[in-house]
Amino acid sequence: QLVQSGAEVKKPGASVNISCKSSGYMFNAYYMHWVRQAPGQGLEWMAWVNPHAGGTKYGERFKGRISVTRDRSISTVYMELKNLRSDDTAVYFCARYRTPDGFDMWGQGTLVTVSA
Amino acid sequence: DVQLTQSPSTLSASVGDRITITCRASQSIRNWLAWYQQKPGKPPTLLIYKASGLESGVPSRFSGGGSGTEFTLTISGLQPDDFATYYCHYYDAYYTFGQGTKLEIK
């Protein structure tokens, strides 16, 4: 399963760091992605990390503001989003990518609220 | 970038109905398409992968089809648990979601 850290409230311009802890499977074997969902809106892909080698890919909209890292020793992936704006208010999900099929396991979601 | 357009945005149906949701891609994506179901306050769950593969544990009333630029998700014999929002998803060089289709009880 994937267990994410708890809800956050941040001011504009601040950063948020969300964790996603994996258990029950081989952590290194599956890329981990981050997807967000603004209130009442659809799903938006953000980034992925290769837990084995540490390589990353970021969505164009987030480049320069996002960083995804992993700690193999505790099977945990982290997503940091900087310079938060009000339109970053969303539920953020981590999702395991099962090659070549899609996202077969999701975290429970972390609500990030950005408000002055 | 590949854009995915789902139709309809909202669909009203009754228990027992057969419904079809369409997802159109802005360019050919071969069969790199998945379908997810999402209920309020929950993460999405994978239903269909590679356009027509049924995910383990998903009821057989769900089926996917299509390739290239046009894809469908069909639910045959709607059950009360099926009323939710459905998303198509392209996953290859890019990762793009459709805007969603909300399936409502008529």
Side-chain angles (χ1 to χ4, degrees), chain A residues 37 57 97-98 100-101 103 106, chain B residues 36 38 44 49 55 91 93:
Chain A
Q37 186 169 39
K57 181 173 182 174
Y97 178 66
R98 187 182 76 207
D101 301 330
F103 300 148
W106 294 69
Chain B
Y36 299 86
Q38 187 180 31
Y49 59 88
E55 175 69 354
Y91 58 99

Side-chain angles (χ1 to χ4, degrees), chain A residues 6-114:
Chain A
E8 303 262 12
V9 179
K10 297 291 184 181
K11 293 193 182 301
S15 299
V16 68
N17 197 323
I18 304 169
S19 66
C20 172
K21 182 171 177 58
S22 306
S23 63
Y25 71 93
M26 190 178 301
F27 177 70
N28 286 343
Y30 298 84
Y31 281 36
M32 193 71 76
H33 292 239
W34 289 90
V35 175
R36 76 177 185 179
Q37 186 169 39
Q41 303 301 308
L43 302 167
E44 180 177 27
W45 179 79
M46 301 178 72
W48 60 246
V49 63
N50 175 349
H52 176 65
T56 55
K57 181 173 182 174
Y58 302 133
E60 286 296 325
R61 284 194 57 188
F62 304 100
K63 282 183 179 177
R65 289 207 298 142
I66 191 171
S67 176
V68 178
T69 58
R70 93 287 189 223
D71 185 335
R72 292 168 60 182
S73 69
I74 55 171
S75 301
T76 299
V77 171
Y78 302 92
M79 190 280 294
E80 181 183 28
L81 191 61
K82 306 170 190 172
N83 194 19
L84 290 167
R85 308 184 290 250
S86 58
D87 63 355
D88 290 317
T89 293
V91 176
Y92 290 76
F93 296 101
C94 58
R96 186 181 83 167
Y97 178 66
R98 187 182 76 207
T99 307
D101 301 330
F103 300 148
D104 70 335
M105 185 183 297
W106 294 69
Q108 83 276 18
T110 297
L111 174 62
V112 175
T113 303
V114 183

Side-chain angles (χ1 to χ4, degrees), chain B residues 23-74:
Chain B
C23 178
R24 289 186 173 86
S26 58
Q27 63 192 70
S28 176
I29 58 172
R30 295 185 289 170
N31 64 344
W32 295 110
L33 192 97
W35 289 94
Y36 299 86
Q37 177 192 71
Q38 187 180 31
K39 297 180 179 178
K42 299 293 186 182
T45 58
L46 180 63
L47 300 174
I48 302 289
Y49 59 88
K50 291 195 77 178
S52 60
L54 186 67
E55 175 69 354
S56 176
V58 174
S60 59
R61 62 180 180 272
F62 291 89
S63 62
S67 65
T69 61
E70 187 153 332
F71 301 86
T72 57
L73 172 70
T74 299

